[in-house]
Amino acid sequence: NSNLKPMQVTEREVGLELTLFNNLRFEGSYYHKLSADQILSAQVSDASGYTTRLINVGESENQGVEVFVSLAPVRTDNFVWNTSANFSYNTSKVLSLGENVDDTFITVGNAEFHGELRQVVGKPMAQLYGWGWLRDDQGNQVFDPNSGLPLRSDEQLNFGTALPIWVGGFTNTLRYKN
């Protein structure tokens, strides 16, 4: 796409890093990021010979917190045990898809469960959409009267974002005589 522009990112971040007693380490930060003219791979008709096209798309917002804590609970001349934990919390939101997109969503990929991955205005990034079971007004599943099989929904349903909000981990390191 010869009309692609570079993505623009504006970010603010504040953080704190502490080390206490040469044993305990803490790092924490908060960030807020606005991205504009994001480059996404949008699906196009495969009659063109391609299945996707790179385009610049609207604006999105990410904000979150990252924390890291490290401690050496055991430290002797011959043995050291270091343990650490980290986690991050990130929320995202699609603010707009730009002037060149006529709808409130754009399909950016296929999901393995015969669904789609979409960017949807007003929702977190990377929304999963797929077929579900048809339900009546009371929320009961509807079955085909002839076969008894459940009927598929008329439209694809939103199953939420593909991106995790919380991510974290633990690490332990044991050292004996170097």
Side-chain angles (χ1 to χ4, degrees), residues 9-174:
V9 175
T10 304
E11 184 170 8
R12 293 185 190 104
E13 183 171 345
V14 62
L16 177 67
E17 185 175 328
L18 298 171
T19 302
L20 299 171
F21 314 116
N22 246 358
N23 189 31
L24 175 64
R25 185 171 151 206
F26 172 84
E27 296 175 19
S29 64
Y30 167 80
Y31 61 90
H32 183 266
K33 179 169 71 170
L34 289 174
S35 302
D37 292 326
Q38 298 168 96
I39 299 174
L40 293 178
S41 188
Q43 287 187 331
V44 295
S45 168
D46 56 1
S48 67
Y50 298 93
T51 56
T52 61
R53 178 176 177 223
L54 292 177
I55 61 171
N56 289 102
V57 175
E59 294 182 319
S60 68
E61 172 186 62
N62 287 31
Q63 60 183 351
V65 175
E66 297 175 343
V67 173
F68 173 81
V69 178
S70 178
L71 172 68
V74 177
R75 184 178 294 199
T76 68
D77 291 338
N78 294 324
F79 179 74
V80 176
W81 169 30
N82 285 314
T83 186
S84 63
N86 68 313
F87 77 87
S88 64
Y89 173 80
N90 178 59
T91 60
S92 66
K93 186 175 185 179
V94 176
L95 301 176
S96 79
L97 293 175
E99 300 169 5
N100 297 331
V101 178
D102 296 330
D103 212 339
T104 58
F105 75 90
I106 186 170
T107 300
V108 294
N110 290 321
E112 289 189 23
F113 60 89
H114 303 291
E116 296 179 345
L117 188 63
R118 298 178 182 175
Q119 302 294 44
V120 181
V121 173
K123 295 207 176 276
M125 296 176 67
Q127 292 293 299
L128 290 169
Y129 277 77
W131 301 107
W133 302 121
L134 183 63
R135 305 232 176 231
D136 61 19
D137 294 337
Q138 289 79 36
N140 300 314
Q141 196 171 352
V142 177
F143 296 88
D144 184 315
N146 298 321
S147 68
L149 296 173
L151 295 174
R152 187 177 83 169
S153 59
D154 296 329
E155 296 181 8
Q156 289 189 352
L157 306 175
N158 184 343
F159 291 108
T161 181
L163 303 175
I165 294 174
W166 290 94
V167 176
F170 296 98
T171 303
N172 285 292
T173 306
L174 305 173

